[in-house]
Amino acid sequence: MANGKRFAQIPMSKCMRDICKEEDYAFLNSLGKQDKSPEDNTFQESEWQDKKEERVHRRQEREQLEREQQLEIEEQRKKKHEKWKSHVAELAVQREAIHAKLHRLREFRDFQKKVLLQDLGQDPGSTDETINHLLMRL
């Protein structure tokens, strides 16, 4: 009856209190009946064994899903890594193309300077400020 005193403060209808009392007595009565037949014990053992097998099966399924997810993550990492490597290679090709273009432009600039010096009749080895100014305007 200690339960009755402890739970008396919980607001509950009289009907609910009666139902709870009935359930309590039914539970206490079932605890008192420990003398079960061997058939009940074997049934409970087989039921327990089935539940254990079910838990093992669920755990194995969970582990399999985790392994599949890990493999999927690894594949995504590999794809990203390959994509990054191809991007870096593409940037290296672009850099080489830019350097080649820069080299061609410098050669053309030197050619323009040489032709301009020849047209003006000056020595190709001399660098005059007016020539640099004319080249900048071109």
Side-chain angles (χ1 to χ4, degrees), residues 10-18:
I10 298 174
M12 186 184 304
S13 69
K14 287 183 181 181
C15 179
M16 281 301 294
R17 288 189 194 280
D18 290 338

Side-chain angles (χ1 to χ4, degrees), residues 113-127:
K113 188 175 183 179
K114 182 179 162 186
V115 169
L116 188 59
L117 286 172
Q118 285 177 355
D119 285 346
L120 294 175
Q122 293 186 357
D123 183 27
S126 67
T127 54

Side-chain angles (χ1 to χ4, degrees), residues 65-130:
L65 283 174
E66 287 175 9
R67 283 191 295 264
E68 289 173 0
Q69 288 175 349
Q70 288 295 331
L71 287 174
E72 198 172 301
I73 289 170
E74 283 297 319
E75 288 177 15
Q76 289 176 354
R77 278 192 201 138
K78 286 180 183 178
K79 285 180 184 178
K80 284 182 180 181
H81 185 67
E82 291 297 321
K83 189 176 180 180
W84 175 253
K85 284 172 84 175
S86 66
H87 177 69
V88 168
E90 183 180 318
L91 289 177
V93 168
Q94 288 177 355
R95 182 178 289 135
E96 288 178 20
I98 289 171
H99 283 296
K101 188 174 183 179
L102 177 65
H103 180 67
R104 287 192 308 272
L105 286 173
R106 284 183 179 158
E107 286 179 350
F108 180 69
R109 187 73 160 176
D110 291 341
F111 173 75
Q112 279 182 324
K113 188 175 183 179
K114 182 179 162 186
V115 169
L116 188 59
L117 286 172
Q118 285 177 355
D119 285 346
L120 294 175
Q122 293 186 357
D123 183 27
S126 67
T127 54
D128 191 9
E129 189 64 37
T130 57

Side-chain angles (χ1 to χ4, degrees), residues 5-85:
K5 291 178 184 176
R6 191 171 1 159
F7 297 123
Q9 294 135 358
I10 298 174
M12 186 184 304
S13 69
K14 287 183 181 181
C15 179
M16 281 301 294
R17 288 189 194 280
D18 290 338
I19 292 172
C20 290
K21 282 181 186 177
E22 289 175 17
E23 290 176 355
D24 287 344
Y25 287 125
F27 174 73
L28 291 173
N29 285 336
S30 67
L31 287 179
K33 297 179 182 178
Q34 292 297 328
D35 56 334
K36 296 181 182 175
S37 66
E39 291 177 2
D40 289 342
N41 287 339
T42 56
F43 176 73
Q44 285 181 349
E45 287 177 15
S46 66
E47 188 175 315
W48 178 79
Q49 193 70 13
D50 291 341
K51 288 181 180 179
K52 182 179 178 181
E53 289 174 4
E54 181 66 25
R55 285 192 304 268
V56 168
H57 180 68
R58 284 195 309 255
R59 189 185 77 229
Q60 288 174 347
E61 286 179 353
R62 223 177 14 254
E63 289 173 355
Q64 179 67 24
L65 283 174
E66 287 175 9
R67 283 191 295 264
E68 289 173 0
Q69 288 175 349
Q70 288 295 331
L71 287 174
E72 198 172 301
I73 289 170
E74 283 297 319
E75 288 177 15
Q76 289 176 354
R77 278 192 201 138
K78 286 180 183 178
K79 285 180 184 178
K80 284 182 180 181
H81 185 67
E82 291 297 321
K83 189 176 180 180
W84 175 253
K85 284 172 84 175

